[in-house]
Short mmCIF file of all heavy atoms in Angstrom, two decimals:
data_model
loop_
_atom_site.label_atom_id
_atom_site.label_comp_id
_atom_site.label_asym_id
_atom_site.label_seq_id
_atom_site.Cartn_x
_atom_site.Cartn_y
_atom_site.Cartn_z
N VAL A 29 -5.46 -6.58 -8.06
CA VAL A 29 -6.25 -5.41 -7.66
C VAL A 29 -7.58 -5.39 -8.42
O VAL A 29 -7.61 -5.59 -9.64
CB VAL A 29 -5.48 -4.10 -7.94
CG1 VAL A 29 -6.35 -2.88 -7.57
CG2 VAL A 29 -4.17 -4.05 -7.15
N ILE A 40 -11.85 7.07 -17.46
CA ILE A 40 -11.49 5.70 -17.82
C ILE A 40 -10.05 5.60 -18.33
O ILE A 40 -9.41 4.56 -18.22
CB ILE A 40 -12.53 5.13 -18.84
CG1 ILE A 40 -12.43 3.62 -18.97
CG2 ILE A 40 -12.41 5.80 -20.20
CD1 ILE A 40 -12.95 2.87 -17.78
N ASN A 121 -10.28 -7.23 6.22
CA ASN A 121 -9.31 -6.14 6.40
C ASN A 121 -9.73 -4.87 5.68
O ASN A 121 -10.03 -4.90 4.48
CB ASN A 121 -7.93 -6.57 5.87
CG ASN A 121 -7.47 -7.86 6.50
OD1 ASN A 121 -7.58 -8.04 7.72
ND2 ASN A 121 -6.96 -8.78 5.68
N GLN A 133 -7.57 22.85 13.78
CA GLN A 133 -6.29 23.49 14.13
C GLN A 133 -5.80 22.90 15.45
O GLN A 133 -6.34 23.22 16.51
CB GLN A 133 -6.44 25.01 14.24
CG GLN A 133 -5.17 25.72 14.72
CD GLN A 133 -3.98 25.52 13.77
OE1 GLN A 133 -3.99 25.93 12.64
NE2 GLN A 133 -2.93 24.83 14.25
N PRO A 151 -18.69 20.02 6.06
CA PRO A 151 -19.33 18.70 5.95
C PRO A 151 -18.34 17.63 5.48
O PRO A 151 -18.38 16.49 5.94
CB PRO A 151 -20.44 18.95 4.93
CG PRO A 151 -20.80 20.38 5.14
CD PRO A 151 -19.49 21.07 5.41
N ALA A 299 -11.78 31.30 3.67
CA ALA A 299 -12.63 30.89 4.80
C ALA A 299 -12.41 29.41 5.09
O ALA A 299 -12.30 28.59 4.18
CB ALA A 299 -14.09 31.14 4.44
N ALA A 325 10.98 18.80 -3.24
CA ALA A 325 11.44 19.08 -4.61
C ALA A 325 11.01 17.95 -5.55
O ALA A 325 10.52 18.21 -6.66
CB ALA A 325 12.97 19.24 -4.63
#
Side-chain angles (χ1 to χ4, degrees):
V29 178
I40 195 72
N121 305 315
Q133 175 61 64

